[in-house]
């Protein structure tokens, strides 16, 4: 099973979201328990008839916390703090009015609503916002406690509950803020490294492309020279000059256009080379990335079948460990060379009934309007398959 690592900034934001949601859920559950505790306290002190009046503000803050949990926005967070402050004042005032000993034996009943305000939580997955909102909650909490105690006429202490909760919340968000900052600093470095790697790979591909141009032209020209018994013809000289111009114009700089670097025919040649890795012959493909125009399906099938037959001969008879497949196209004609450095043979001495050369190679290529030329000697064999890229171009 594949395992994918979540990017650090995304993971840190997810943790912040989770912490904020957990805080708001704690507020909801804590206030519900607090309402039950206040109700029990009032009933035990003989003021059960005022229970609904006193706990109503507590339940209102719990409802605001649910709204904030459902949709954490600037508006709902602000509404939570504002409504919580009013409710905190109301609980303290009503509690002390109903029962002057409401704060006994401790400030738990008094500051439960105010303490909940500190857990307002972060917004938008930002730990820094969590620190800011926790601070705002602490200020509102102690402000509401001061106003409530003053309005209720009580002399009770506000207690340490809001401050302790604030310290825990602030530290948690502080640690997450440091993690998010480190992730932001690490991300550009990673992006720069990936960009450099991509540029290097692109440069390598361009160098291979230029090398392929040299390889294709030089190899084809040397084949012509090897096949010429005497001085070169004017046509051959013109071709050599054109190839030299092509080499001089080749560049390892990235082209400005979006020229395709492969075709289905080129991909098929690579697959053909891959198929022969189990025969003991390593087949290298050159020029496949230079093909810019597609080869008609029937022509491509004929050339591929003929090339496969030629490679079969290399594997069976030549004794070579390596062969080259060189492909190129010019003026609507595609040429495919199969070159090896093994034992050569005399093409003229091959009997006419030998189907491998006659049918599997010549027959297939000539059926699509192409031609086959073979050069063989002590240094190896070159089979050149040439055909129009489209049959209707014959």
């Amino acid at each position: 099973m594949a395992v994918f690592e979540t990017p650090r900034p995304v993971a840190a934001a997810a943790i912040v979201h989770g912490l904020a949601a957990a805080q708001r859920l704690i507020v909801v559950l804590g206030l519900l328990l607090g309402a039950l505790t206040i109700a029990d306290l009032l009933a035990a002190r003989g003021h059960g008839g005022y229970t609904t009046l006193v706990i109503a503000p507590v339940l209102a803050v719990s409802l605001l916390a649910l709204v904030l949990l459902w949709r954490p926005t600037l508006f709902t967070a602000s509404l939570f703090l504002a409504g919580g402050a009013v409710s905190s004042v109301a609980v303290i005032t009503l509690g002390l009015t109903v029962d002057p000993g409401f704060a006994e034996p401790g400030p738990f009943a008094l500051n439960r609503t105010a303490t909940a305000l500190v857990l307002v939580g972060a917004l938008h997955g930002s730990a820094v916002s969590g620190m800011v909102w926790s601070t705002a909650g602490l200020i509102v909490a102690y402000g509401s406690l001061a106003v409530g105690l003053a309005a209720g006429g009580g002399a009770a202490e506000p207690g340490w509950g809001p401050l302790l909760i604030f310290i825990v919340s602030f530290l948690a968000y502080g640690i997450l803020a440091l993690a998010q900052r480190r992730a932001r600093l690490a991300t550009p470095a990673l992006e720069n490294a990936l960009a450099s790697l991509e540029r290097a790979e692109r440069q390598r591909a361009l160098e291979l492309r230029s090398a392929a141009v040299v390889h294709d032209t030089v190899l084809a020209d040397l084949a012509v020279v090897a096949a010429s018994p005497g001085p070169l013809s004017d046509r051959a000289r013109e071709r050599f000059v054109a190839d030299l111009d092509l080499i001089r114009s080749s560049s390892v700089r990235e082209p400005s256009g979006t020229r395709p670097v492969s075709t289905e025919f080129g991909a098929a040649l690579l697959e053909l080379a891959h198929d022969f890795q189990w025969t003991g012959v390593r087949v290298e493909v050159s020029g496949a990335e230079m093909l810019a125009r597609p080869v008609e399906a029937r022509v491509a099938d004929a050339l591929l079948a003929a090339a496969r037959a030629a490679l079969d001969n290399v594997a069976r008879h030549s004794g070579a460990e390596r062969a080259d497949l060189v492909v190129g196209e010019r003026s609507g004609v595609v040429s495919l060379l199969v070159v090896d450095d093994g034992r050569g043979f005399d093409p003229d001495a091959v009997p006419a009934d030998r189907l491998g050369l006659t049918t599997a190679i010549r027959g297939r290529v000539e059926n699509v309007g192409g031609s086959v030329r073979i050069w063989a000697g002590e240094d190896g064999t070159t089979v050149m398959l040439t055909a129009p890229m489209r049959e209707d171009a014959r």
Side-chain angles (χ1 to χ4, degrees), residues 98-110:
V98 171
D99 183 4
F102 185 65
E104 299 174 1
F108 171 79
L110 285 176

Side-chain angles (χ1 to χ4, degrees), residues 74-136:
L74 178 62
F75 174 75
T76 55
S78 302
L79 181 63
F80 173 75
L81 289 184
V86 174
S87 297
S88 176
V89 172
V91 169
I92 297 171
T93 303
L94 291 172
L96 291 175
T97 301
V98 171
D99 183 4
F102 185 65
E104 299 174 1
F108 171 79
L110 285 176
N111 67 17
R112 170 55 66 93
T113 306
T115 301
L117 302 182
V118 180
L119 298 176
V120 58
L123 297 179
H124 311 301
S126 170
V128 174
S129 77
M131 300 168 67
V132 172
W133 282 102
S134 296
T135 304

Side-chain angles (χ1 to χ4, degrees), residues 4-371:
F4 300 94
E5 182 178 356
T6 304
R8 287 184 178 180
V10 177
I15 294 174
V16 172
H17 279 297
L19 176 59
Q23 286 181 315
R24 292 155 191 158
L25 186 59
I26 290 173
V27 169
V28 174
L29 298 177
L31 289 178
L32 291 177
L33 291 175
L36 293 176
T37 303
I38 292 174
D40 183 66
L41 176 64
L42 292 175
R45 300 175 72 88
H47 303 292
Y50 298 96
T51 299
T52 303
L53 180 64
V54 177
I55 68 173
V58 179
L59 298 177
V61 179
S62 180
L63 181 61
L64 290 176
L66 276 176
V67 174
L68 180 59
L69 178 62
W70 170 59
R71 182 162 294 182
T73 64
L74 178 62
F75 174 75
T76 55
S78 302
L79 181 63
F80 173 75
L81 289 184
V86 174
S87 297
S88 176
V89 172
V91 169
I92 297 171
T93 303
L94 291 172
L96 291 175
T97 301
V98 171
D99 183 4
F102 185 65
E104 299 174 1
F108 171 79
L110 285 176
N111 67 17
R112 170 55 66 93
T113 306
T115 301
L117 302 182
V118 180
L119 298 176
V120 58
L123 297 179
H124 311 301
S126 170
V128 174
S129 77
M131 300 168 67
V132 172
W133 282 102
S134 296
T135 304
L138 179 69
I139 295 173
V140 173
Y142 275 109
S144 67
L145 285 171
V147 173
L149 289 173
E157 295 293 329
W160 297 99
L163 180 60
L164 294 176
I165 296 297
F166 166 77
I167 292 174
V168 174
S169 177
F170 192 87
L171 287 177
Y173 282 119
I175 294 172
L176 290 174
L178 290 176
Q180 286 184 323
R181 184 175 182 274
R182 290 182 61 183
R184 283 194 299 269
L185 293 176
T187 299
L190 178 60
E191 291 177 349
N192 291 337
L194 291 175
S196 299
L197 180 60
E198 183 180 354
R199 285 194 298 269
E201 291 179 348
R202 191 162 55 241
Q203 182 73 6
R204 174 61 177 164
L206 293 171
E207 291 173 354
L208 291 175
R209 187 182 305 172
S210 296
V213 173
V214 176
H215 187 259
D216 296 349
T217 53
V218 171
L219 183 60
D221 293 344
L222 289 177
V224 172
V225 172
S228 300
L232 295 175
S233 64
D234 292 338
R235 183 177 179 181
R237 293 176 183 273
E238 292 175 359
R239 176 177 173 179
F240 294 167
V241 171
D243 287 344
L244 288 173
D245 291 338
L246 177 62
I247 293 173
R248 280 194 293 267
S249 64
S250 298
S251 173
V252 296
R253 292 174 298 181
E254 188 169 2
S256 57
T258 57
R259 180 182 177 186
V261 297
S262 64
T263 61
E264 292 184 6
F265 183 61
L269 289 175
L270 295 175
E271 185 176 354
L272 175 62
H274 178 74
D275 291 343
F276 272 83
Q277 66 179 342
W278 309 111
T279 65
V281 178
R282 188 177 75 256
V283 180
E284 301 287 345
V285 180
S286 299
E289 70 278 8
M290 295 294 295
L291 295 176
R293 291 183 292 177
V295 180
E296 188 174 302
R298 190 164 180 269
V299 176
D301 290 342
L303 291 175
L304 288 170
R308 181 180 293 275
L311 288 172
D312 281 335
N313 288 336
V314 173
R316 293 177 182 177
H317 307 299
S318 72
E321 296 181 354
R322 182 180 183 275
D324 288 282
L325 269 179
V326 183
V327 63
E329 58 97 359
R330 182 180 298 178
S331 302
V333 176
V334 59
S335 297
L336 182 60
L337 279 73
V338 182
V339 184
D340 72 82
D341 58 357
R343 294 185 298 271
F345 68 100
D346 184 0
D348 296 331
V350 177
D353 59 352
R354 289 290 297 274
L355 299 181
L357 181 60
T358 304
T359 303
I361 298 180
R362 290 190 185 275
R364 284 191 171 110
V365 177
E366 291 174 354
N367 282 340
V368 293
S371 61

